[in-house]
Amino acid sequence: QLQLVESGGGLVQPGGSLRLSCVASGSTLDYYVIGWFRQAPGKEREGVSCISRRGVMTNYADSVKGRFTISRDNAKNTVYLQMNSLKPEDTAVYYCAAYFDYSDYAYLGNEFHNWGQGTQVTVSS
Protein backbone atom coordinates (compact mmCIF):
# COMPACT_ATOMS: atom_id res chain seq x y z
CA GLN A 1 0.00 0.00 0.00
CA LEU A 2 1.46 3.31 -1.15
CA GLN A 3 0.93 6.60 0.70
CA LEU A 4 2.00 9.98 -0.70
CA VAL A 5 2.58 13.25 1.17
CA GLU A 6 3.20 16.60 -0.54
CA SER A 7 5.08 19.53 0.95
CA GLY A 8 6.72 22.79 -0.10
CA GLY A 9 3.71 24.94 -0.92
CA GLY A 10 3.30 28.49 0.27
CA LEU A 11 2.85 32.14 -0.68
CA VAL A 12 5.20 33.56 -3.31
CA GLN A 13 5.32 36.72 -5.43
CA PRO A 14 4.92 36.61 -9.22
CA GLY A 15 8.22 35.64 -10.83
CA GLY A 16 9.31 33.70 -7.77
CA SER A 17 10.07 30.01 -7.32
CA LEU A 18 8.94 27.08 -5.20
CA ARG A 19 10.05 23.46 -4.98
CA LEU A 20 7.40 20.88 -4.14
CA SER A 21 8.24 17.45 -2.75
CA CYS A 22 6.25 14.21 -2.82
CA VAL A 23 7.46 11.58 -0.35
CA ALA A 24 6.22 7.99 -0.52
CA SER A 25 5.81 5.44 2.25
CA GLY A 26 4.47 1.89 2.44
CA SER A 27 6.29 0.94 -0.76
CA THR A 28 9.26 2.02 -2.87
CA LEU A 29 8.71 4.19 -5.95
CA ASP A 30 10.81 1.97 -8.23
CA TYR A 31 7.82 0.80 -10.28
CA TYR A 32 5.53 3.82 -10.09
CA VAL A 33 4.83 6.63 -12.50
CA ILE A 34 4.41 9.85 -10.51
CA GLY A 35 2.35 12.82 -11.66
CA TRP A 36 1.64 16.31 -10.40
CA PHE A 37 -1.87 17.75 -10.73
CA ARG A 38 -3.44 21.01 -9.64
CA GLN A 39 -6.90 22.39 -9.04
CA ALA A 40 -7.83 26.05 -8.67
CA PRO A 41 -11.16 27.30 -7.29
CA GLY A 42 -13.87 27.02 -9.92
CA LYS A 43 -11.62 25.16 -12.36
CA GLU A 44 -11.27 21.56 -13.47
CA ARG A 45 -8.34 19.50 -12.24
CA GLU A 46 -5.34 19.89 -14.54
CA GLY A 47 -2.45 17.52 -15.16
CA VAL A 48 0.81 19.44 -14.72
CA SER A 49 3.63 16.95 -15.22
CA CYS A 50 4.56 13.29 -14.87
CA ILE A 51 7.68 11.16 -14.86
CA SER A 52 8.33 7.51 -15.69
CA ARG A 53 9.68 5.00 -13.18
CA ARG A 54 13.36 5.67 -14.00
CA GLY A 55 12.97 9.27 -15.15
CA VAL A 56 13.54 8.38 -18.81
CA MET A 57 10.27 9.98 -19.96
CA THR A 58 8.63 13.20 -18.76
CA ASN A 59 5.56 15.15 -19.86
CA TYR A 60 4.43 18.72 -19.16
CA ALA A 61 1.27 20.70 -19.69
CA ASP A 62 1.74 23.45 -22.28
CA SER A 63 0.94 26.04 -19.62
CA VAL A 64 4.02 25.14 -17.54
CA LYS A 65 6.54 23.90 -20.12
CA GLY A 66 9.81 25.80 -19.83
CA ARG A 67 9.00 26.98 -16.31
CA PHE A 68 8.48 23.76 -14.31
CA THR A 69 10.80 20.76 -14.02
CA ILE A 70 9.91 17.33 -12.61
CA SER A 71 12.58 15.01 -11.20
CA ARG A 72 12.84 11.98 -8.96
CA ASP A 73 15.23 10.29 -6.54
CA ASN A 74 14.04 6.73 -6.05
CA ALA A 75 16.67 6.09 -3.37
CA LYS A 76 14.93 8.77 -1.28
CA ASN A 77 11.42 7.71 -2.34
CA THR A 78 10.83 11.30 -3.42
CA VAL A 79 9.65 13.17 -6.51
CA TYR A 80 10.12 16.91 -6.94
CA LEU A 81 8.47 19.69 -8.90
CA GLN A 82 10.64 22.77 -9.34
CA MET A 83 8.44 25.75 -10.24
CA ASN A 84 10.10 28.90 -11.62
CA SER A 85 8.74 32.16 -13.04
CA LEU A 86 5.49 31.63 -11.17
CA LYS A 87 2.36 33.44 -12.32
CA PRO A 88 -0.88 34.24 -10.47
CA GLU A 89 -2.67 31.68 -12.66
CA ASP A 90 -0.45 28.98 -11.12
CA THR A 91 -2.34 29.43 -7.84
CA ALA A 92 -3.94 26.09 -6.92
CA VAL A 93 -3.81 23.09 -4.64
CA TYR A 94 -1.11 20.80 -6.01
CA TYR A 95 -1.42 17.03 -5.69
CA CYS A 96 0.99 14.21 -6.43
CA ALA A 97 -0.34 10.87 -7.61
CA ALA A 98 0.94 7.47 -8.76
CA TYR A 99 0.21 4.39 -10.79
CA PHE A 100 2.10 1.09 -10.96
CA ASP A 101 4.00 0.45 -14.19
CA TYR A 102 6.86 -1.82 -15.34
CA SER A 103 7.55 0.22 -18.48
CA ASP A 104 9.54 3.41 -19.15
CA TYR A 105 6.47 5.34 -20.32
CA ALA A 106 4.44 7.97 -18.43
CA TYR A 107 1.22 9.71 -19.46
CA LEU A 108 -0.96 12.18 -17.59
CA GLY A 109 -4.01 10.72 -19.31
CA ASN A 110 -3.60 7.37 -17.58
CA GLU A 111 -5.49 6.48 -14.41
CA PHE A 112 -3.62 7.43 -11.25
CA HIS A 113 -4.71 5.26 -8.30
CA ASN A 114 -2.81 6.72 -5.34
CA TRP A 115 -3.16 10.37 -4.31
CA GLY A 116 -1.73 12.69 -1.72
CA GLN A 117 -3.79 15.27 0.16
CA GLY A 118 -2.34 18.31 -1.57
CA THR A 119 -0.33 21.42 -0.78
CA GLN A 120 -1.49 25.00 -1.39
CA VAL A 121 0.48 27.24 -3.76
CA THR A 122 -0.51 30.92 -3.85
CA VAL A 123 1.14 33.37 -6.27
CA SER A 124 0.21 36.95 -5.43
CA SER A 125 1.61 40.42 -4.87
Side-chain angles (χ1 to χ4, degrees):
Q1 186 174 337
L2 182 70
Q3 296 89 43
L4 303 174
V5 178
E6 305 94 335
S7 64
L11 176 64
V12 65
Q13 291 184 321
S17 297
L18 285 173
R19 189 195 196 199
L20 305 183
S21 298
C22 176
V23 179
S25 61
S27 182
T28 68
L29 288 179
D30 293 347
Y31 295 99
Y32 285 93
V33 170
I34 302 296
W36 286 96
F37 299 79
R38 66 187 182 185
Q39 188 162 24
K43 286 194 171 184
E44 197 171 273
R45 188 183 67 198
E46 176 188 18
V48 175
S49 183
C50 63
I51 187 166
S52 64
R53 59 179 289 261
R54 296 191 296 125
V56 173
M57 182 176 180
T58 59
N59 282 303
Y60 297 91
D62 289 342
S63 58
V64 307
K65 191 172 184 178
R67 299 188 298 120
F68 291 10
T69 302
I70 191 169
S71 62
R72 68 190 297 160
D73 187 342
N74 286 354
K76 296 181 178 179
N77 257 15
T78 303
V79 175
Y80 306 97
L81 185 68
Q82 179 67 46
M83 305 186 295
N84 299 326
S85 302
L86 283 162
K87 305 174 181 179
E89 51 262 46
D90 295 318
T91 296
V93 177
Y94 283 71
Y95 302 89
C96 66
Y99 66 84
F100 191 86
D101 203 315
Y102 286 106
S103 79
D104 281 325
Y105 298 95
Y107 299 102
L108 285 166
N110 284 356
E111 184 177 1
F112 288 77
H113 296 108
N114 304 89
W115 291 80
Q117 292 189 315
T119 184
Q120 176 71 49
V121 172
T122 302
V123 185
S124 176
S125 298

